[in-house]
Amino acid sequence: MLNLDSLVGHGHEEEPLAHYVRLMGTYLLLSAGSFVLLERAGRPLPSRIPLRDVALLGLATNRLSRLITRDKVTRAVRAPFTDVEPDASGETHETPRGDGMTRAIGELLTCPRCAAMWASLALTLGYFVSPRVTRAASSLLGAAAISDFVNTGYARVMNAGK
């Protein structure tokens, strides 16, 4: 096992750094392996992706990562790795629990920006394999993301007058 103690600065004692490295390695292997498999299967990657599709994938990634990390309906996925804390905002607030890989996965499943990398990979691979289906799914997720932004803005405007 890799000993990171001599490589890192102070303040990381409670963090499962070796497990973070394993998760990063898994992500890199999945992404690189998927791209290689697509090429070998005769499905070469596009030389460019139209900006409108990048924007759509970005909105879908935002909503999918929030779905994974914040929505109550996906709490069952996070439950083995988190503890729930009360939150008046309507979103679920959970903190990672345990140690080792349990803690590292808990960190991933409670961090929208962290989960966005994995969600983006899934959506992008879907786009390479089946652009029409992925555009349709991304449109659904993107519309929900836009709705979230509008609802948040509306709530702020309504609360500002109080």
Side-chain angles (χ1 to χ4, degrees), residues 34 53 60 62 72 85 98 120-123 130 134-135 138 141 152:
S34 296
D53 286 343
N62 171 267
K72 288 182 182 181
E85 294 182 2
S120 177
L121 176 62
L123 289 167
S130 183
T134 305
R135 278 190 203 102
S138 294
L141 289 164
T152 299

Side-chain angles (χ1 to χ4, degrees), residues 48-134:
R48 69 175 200 78
I49 300 173
L51 185 56
R52 68 180 181 277
D53 286 343
V54 173
L56 181 60
L57 289 168
L59 278 172
T61 295
N62 171 267
R63 185 62 193 105
L64 183 56
S65 69
R66 303 282 305 172
L67 175 68
I68 293 165
T69 63
R70 294 288 193 255
D71 285 6
K72 288 182 182 181
V73 297
T74 53
R75 188 180 287 170
V77 173
R78 297 184 304 272
F81 309 99
T82 62
D83 291 321
V84 177
E85 294 182 2
D87 188 345
S89 73
E91 284 193 332
T92 301
H93 183 72
E94 294 169 272
T95 56
R97 68 179 175 91
D99 53 15
M101 189 55 81
T102 299
R103 169 79 183 271
I105 292 173
E107 296 279 355
L108 177 62
L109 292 176
T110 58
C111 172
R113 288 177 47 200
C114 305
M117 290 299 298
W118 295 77
S120 177
L121 176 62
L123 289 167
T124 301
L125 289 172
Y127 179 82
F128 292 154
V129 172
S130 183
R132 286 182 47 206
V133 170
T134 305

